[in-house]
């Protein structure tokens, strides 16, 4: 397995997608050899030097700890890393939407983590192991680091990251739901987590079926009307970002705290959880027959 590049930058930067491909060599994608880092540093766009958020060391330290802690079960690293990456990179959504930042983290800062986390196992049908290139520079729901940051942003309940742990502990949920628009509705995100915690939805097929049903229903039903969520005050997020310079490194053994925003109204979460549970009864789950759904007669 490869190690980090010989030259890891001290500051985060922006790396255009058009500049990424020359560094995504077959040797890197197969986990055999990483680039040196010097040439890559010549094609990045610097970020402001006076912003403490762009220091590489806290991010690099996190991925090193994740690779050590979850060396026996790589998929479990997602639930651990997502809230801590979010709390370390205190970004606005506009900043997080810039793919160039995630390109730089994946290719310049931690390509070894991308390979470690996403290099598939060898099987009879897949004798050659290779990381998909979109784990380095793909869409937000596929790229190694952006998917975790956005999962944390969409599933946190105000400052509470515990729902993020639950959501990211289920690969089918973050793989499927991050692609849908309805997940930006905070009560929807929390209701989904509640169904997971209660064991009402468990398997990948069930999550996929429920996601289809929620998206279809959302096209005709305004979830805001069923489960209201008040307007978000931008003040706590701005303050949280401003405090990045003096914030200590995120804790490894307890969850960090996010922006001090109001949590989702409990009555809204309860209402949607009940509604989604009803939707799930008739959701198109592959392999589930009528007896599974309604009980045998």
């Amino acid at each position: 397995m490869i190690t980090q590049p010989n030259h890891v930058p001290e500051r985060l930067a922006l790396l255009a997608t058009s500049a990424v491909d020359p560094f995504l060599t077959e040797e890197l994608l197969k986990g055999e050899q990483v680039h040196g880092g010097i040439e890559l540093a010549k094609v990045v766009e610097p970020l402001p030097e006076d912003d403490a958020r762009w220091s590489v060391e806290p991010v690099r330290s996190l991925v090193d700890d994740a690779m050590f802690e979850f060396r026996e079960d790589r998929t479990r690293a997602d639930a651990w890393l997502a809230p801590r990456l979010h709390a370390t990179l205190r970004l606005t959504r506009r900043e997080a939407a810039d793919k160039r930042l995630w390109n730089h983290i994946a290719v310049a800062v931690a390509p070894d983590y991308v390979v470690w986390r996403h290099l598939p196992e060898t099987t009879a049908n897949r004798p050659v192991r290779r990381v998909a290139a979109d784990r380095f520079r793909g869409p937000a729901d596929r790229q190694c680091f952006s998917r975790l940051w956005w999962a944390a942003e969409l599933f946190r309940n105000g400052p509470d990251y515990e729902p993020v742990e639950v959501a990211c502990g289920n690969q089918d949920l973050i793989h499927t739901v991050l692609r849908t628009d309805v997940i930006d509705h905070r009560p929807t995100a929390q209701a989904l987590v509640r169904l997971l915690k209660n064991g009402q939805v468990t398997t990948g097929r069930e999550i996929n079926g429920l996601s289809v049903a929620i998206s279809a229903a959302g096209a005709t039903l305004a979830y805001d009307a069923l489960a209201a969520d008040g307007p978000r005050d931008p003040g706590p997020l701005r303050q949280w970002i401003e405090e990045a310079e003096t914030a200590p490194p995120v804790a490894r053994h307890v969850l960090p705290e996010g922006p001090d925003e109001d949590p989702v109204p409990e009555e809204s979460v309860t209402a949607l959880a009940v509604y989604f549970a009803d939707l799930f009864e008739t959701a198109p789950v592959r392999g589930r027959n009528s007896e599974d759904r309604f009980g045998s007669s």
Side-chain angles (χ1 to χ4, degrees), residues 5 7-13 37 40-41 44 55-57 60 104 108-109:
H7 173 75
V8 175
E10 294 183 359
R11 307 280 296 173
L12 296 178
L40 192 149
V44 302
S55 174
V56 159
E57 192 281 329
R60 184 67 236 189
H104 188 255
V109 175

Side-chain angles (χ1 to χ4, degrees), residues 205-253:
R205 289 181 178 181
E206 291 175 345
I207 289 169
N208 290 338
L210 178 59
S211 177
V212 170
I214 289 173
S215 296
T220 56
L221 171 71
Y223 288 140
D224 277 327
L226 179 62
D229 186 20
R232 297 171 71 171
D233 179 1
L237 177 63
R238 284 199 298 262
Q239 181 178 350
W240 188 65
I241 291 174
E242 290 171 359
E243 292 170 350
E245 187 170 1
T246 57
V250 296
R252 270 40 176 180
H253 300 295

Side-chain angles (χ1 to χ4, degrees), residues 25-36:
T25 63
E26 280 298 305
E27 289 79 13
L28 174 59
L29 297 178
K30 291 179 181 178
E32 298 171 350
Q33 183 178 352
V34 72
H35 59 81

Side-chain angles (χ1 to χ4, degrees), residues 28-75:
L28 174 59
L29 297 178
K30 291 179 181 178
E32 298 171 350
Q33 183 178 352
V34 72
H35 59 81
I38 297 294
E39 293 301 315
L40 192 149
K42 300 176 182 179
V43 297
V44 302
E45 179 183 334
L47 286 163
E49 287 286 341
D50 60 351
D51 196 326
R53 295 178 298 159
W54 311 137
S55 174
V56 159
E57 192 281 329
V59 176
R60 184 67 236 189
S61 178
L62 274 180
V63 299
D64 285 337
D65 288 350
M67 286 189 287
F68 176 80
E69 183 69 25
F70 300 99
R71 59 193 180 277
E72 302 299 331
D73 188 353
R74 295 174 296 166
T75 60

Side-chain angles (χ1 to χ4, degrees), residues 126-185:
R126 185 170 47 200
V128 178
R129 300 194 301 168
R130 188 177 185 274
V131 178
D134 60 6
R135 296 300 187 181
F136 288 93
R137 48 99 170 104
D141 63 303
R142 289 285 293 169
Q143 203 269 357
C144 179
F145 295 106
S146 66
R147 66 192 282 269
L148 298 181
W149 191 95
W150 279 106
E153 171 67 9
L154 295 170
F155 282 104
R156 67 181 173 87
N157 191 7
D160 183 11
Y161 284 117
E162 191 266 343
V164 179
E165 277 195 318
V166 176
C168 291
N170 189 298
Q171 293 299 304
D172 295 290
L173 181 67
I174 58 175
H175 178 69
T176 302
V177 176
L178 284 184
R179 300 178 180 182
T180 66
D181 293 334
V182 294
I183 198 61
D184 197 28
H185 181 238

